[in-house]
Amino acid sequence: MNADFLIIGSGIAGLSLAIRAARHGRVICLSKGSLLDSNTSWAQGGIASVLDEELRDPGDSVELHIADTLDAGAGLCNEPVVRTIISEGASTIEELVHYGVDFDREDGHFSLGKEGGHSKRRILHARDTTGRKIAEALVHTARNTENLVLLENHFVIDLITTGKLGMVTDDRVLGAYVLNSESGEVVIIRADRVILATGGCGKVYLYTTNPDSATGDGVAMAWRAGAMIANMEFIQFHPTCFYNPAASGAEARSFLVSEALRGEGAVLINQKGEDFIKKHDPRGSLAPRDIVARAIDHEIKRTGAPCVFLDVRHKPAGFMKERFPFIYNTLMRFGLDCEKQPIPVVPAAHYQCGGVVTDINGKTSLRGLYAVGEVACTGLHGANRLASNSLLEGNVTARRCLVEMLAHFHPNRESQEFTEIPAWEHGDTAAPDELVVIYHNWDEIRRLMWDYVSIVRTDNRLRRAATRLRNLKKEVREFYWGHRVNADILELRNLVAVASLIVDCAAKRKESRGLHYTTDHPRTKESLASDTRIRKF
Ligand code: FAD
Ligand code: SIN
C-alpha cells in the first residue's frame, strides 16, 4: 500500500490530522484496535481553553492560562510553545463544535469547569464523557471524508527507514511494517510522511487509568528508528483512580474519578475525615496533580491505609447524577452510592509528559517522521502537565503539523519508488504454552515499574529496576525474533523498551522536579532545569 500521509493512531491527534490532510493527498490512518479504542475516548474532565471575552470566567485571560501551565510544568516548559498552543485554544473549540461536539452550556453560554492547577474556570466539557463525544464526532467526520482510508485492527510493528535498510543516505522514513491482526499478515505501507499519533504508555504500570491500548508503541518505534526521545521520567499519576480491591476486570481497576469533581467542591480526606492535602499545599485538593498525588502517597504510607477518599456527600442531592452521570452510574454499578459514601481512591499512572521530541509543528529529529498528541514531547507540559491541556495540544499540534508538512517537506518520489523494501519475515509459530511467558513478563514489568519507579523513587530502586529490565529485554528479544508476531508479543516488546526509557531518564535526573521525586535528591536544582534527552544512535 502507498499513502501520501501515513497516520498511526485514531485519537484526537491522529483523526483531526487525517481529516485535514485528506484534502491534500491520499491518507491512511491506522488503529491497532477499533477507531474508538483510544485514551481520547476515555477523557472525562474536558478541554482547557480561554474563550472570547464575553464567554470566559470573569478575570480569566490567555496570559493566566499560560501562567498556570508554566507553574504546573515546574520550570521545564518551553514558554514559546506554551504561548502558541494555549493561544490557539479558542479556535480548537470552534473546530470541535464544527465537527459536532456538543459541549455543555448554561443559559446559552458554554459551561466552564475547573481542575487542579487552574486559577479560573476554563474547562469545556460534555458532562463527564467529553473524550467520548470528541472521539465519536471525529470518527463520524473521518468516515465521511474522501481520500481517507481508515484501517482498524492494524498494528504498526516498526518504522522502515533508510538507516535500517543500511542505505548510505540521509536517514529518513520510508513507511512501516503493519500487522493485520485479523489475518495475521504483515504488510508494508510506504509513505514519505509518517505521523505518530499513538498516545501514551500508562500500561507500563500495574495501576493505570489508561485503556489497554496505551503501551507506548510510538515512543518505542521512534526510539528503535533513532529519533530523539526526552523527559520520559515525567509520568503523571492521577490522584483519584477508584480503589476497588474486590474488582475483577480492567474497567473496575482503571476507573478514573475525574478531577473535575474537585473543581465542583469534592474534597480529598483520609480515613479520619481530615482534609490532609492542605498540610502539603494551601490550594488543598485543587493543587496541581504532582503535589496531590505525592500527598496521597505520603498519607497512605503514613497511615498504612490502602486508600484515601474523595468526598462529595455535601453536594445537593441529584448533583452527581446531573453533572457527572457516567461516574455516578459506574460507581453505582460497582456498588457505591457516592452521594452517601465517600469514594475510595488511589493514584494511578495516567499521562506521559515526555515522548518523541518534536518542535511545535510535530517535526521530529528523523526526516519524514512527525509526532503529535501524547506521544510527542513538544515542551508544553514540562515536568508536569496541567489538567485538560492534553486534548488541546493534540488538536493544535495536528493542525500545525499539516501546515508544516505541506510547506517544508518535499517528498522524494523517485527514491520512494525505487527503494526495495524487504518483505516481512515471520519467525516460527509460537507454541501455545510459551504464551504464558508473555503474560508473565508483561505482569513482571508492570509490577516492577509500580514498585520501583512510581511516585517516589530512589537511586537504589532505579538501579534494581534497570537490572531486571535488562534481563527481561533479552528474554523478550529472543521471543520476538523466534516466534510469529502477534499483538501481545509486539506490545510486550514495546512495554519493555518504554519501561527502560523511563528508568534511564529517571536515573539521569539527579534532582526532584515536577513529577520526578527521589528521596536521594529531594531538592530542585536550578542548574538542572533542562530536558533529559536520549537517543539510540
Ligand atoms: P490516543 O487518544 O491515546 O490514541 C492513540 C491511538 O493510537 C489509538 O487509536 C491506538 O489504537 C493507536 N495506536 C497505538 N499504538 C499503535 C500501533 N502500534 N499501531 C497502530 N495504532 C496504534 N486529557 C485532557 O486534556 N482532558 C481530559 O479530561 C482527560 N481525561 C482523561 C481521562 C482518562 C481516563 C485518560 C486515560 C486520559 C485523559 N486525558 C485527558 C488525557 C488524554 O485523553 C490523552 O492524552 C489524549 O486523548 C491522547 O490523544 P492522542 O490522540 O495522542 O492518543
Ligand atoms: C480528569 O478528568 O481528571 C482528567 C483530566 C486530564 O487528565 O487532563
Side-chain angles (χ1 to χ4, degrees), residues 9-10 12-13 31-32 39-40 43 45-46 156 217 351 374 388 390-391:
S10 63
I12 188 168
S31 176
K32 66 177 170 178
N39 278 19
T40 298
V156 177
D217 301 357
Y351 186 84
E374 188 168 339
S388 286
S390 170
L391 295 170

Side-chain angles (χ1 to χ4, degrees), residues 328-399:
Y328 175 83
N329 289 324
T330 308
L331 291 175
M332 273 301 213
R333 241 183 332 110
F334 294 141
L336 187 117
D337 180 350
C338 62
E339 295 198 338
K340 299 201 174 80
Q341 296 159 274
I343 309 163
V345 290
V346 284
H350 182 64
Y351 186 84
Q352 163 195 306
C353 293
V356 183
V357 175
T358 69
D359 66 7
I360 178 112
N361 303 320
K363 197 167 151 199
T364 73
S365 60
L366 185 60
R367 191 164 150 67
L369 182 68
Y370 298 82
V372 286
E374 188 168 339
V375 67
C377 180
T378 58
L380 173 67
H381 310 305
N384 176 40
R385 175 180 66 107
L386 183 66
S388 286
N389 266 356
S390 170
L391 295 170
L392 175 66
E393 182 190 39
N395 185 275
V396 171
T397 51
R399 188 163 54 206

Side-chain angles (χ1 to χ4, degrees), residues 130-236:
T130 313
R132 185 82 194 177
K133 299 286 162 29
I134 292 175
E136 284 171 353
L138 289 171
V139 168
H140 177 78
T141 309
R143 286 198 196 281
N144 290 294
T145 299
E146 271 179 38
N147 236 0
L148 169 52
V149 179
L150 297 166
L151 297 177
E152 298 182 292
N153 301 313
H154 277 66
F155 195 122
V156 177
I157 302 173
D158 253 328
L159 300 170
I160 303 167
T161 64
T162 49
K164 282 192 185 176
L165 297 184
M167 293 166 65
V168 190
T169 161
D170 272 359
D171 201 11
R172 65 190 171 79
V173 172
L174 296 168
Y177 287 112
V178 182
L179 169 72
N180 176 337
S181 299
E182 280 161 3
S183 68
E185 200 190 343
V186 176
V187 296
I188 293 167
I189 302 184
R190 285 173 179 260
D192 286 311
R193 288 168 286 207
V194 177
I195 303 98
L196 295 171
T198 46
C201 68
K203 279 283 158 183
V204 88
Y205 285 92
L206 190 57
Y207 301 106
T208 176
T209 63
N210 289 194
D212 285 347
S213 52
T215 49
D217 301 357
V219 168
M221 277 187 249
W223 163 256
R224 288 192 291 265
M228 183 76 79
I229 311 292
N231 292 357
M232 289 300 290
E233 69 273 36
F234 298 119
I235 299 293
Q236 183 170 71

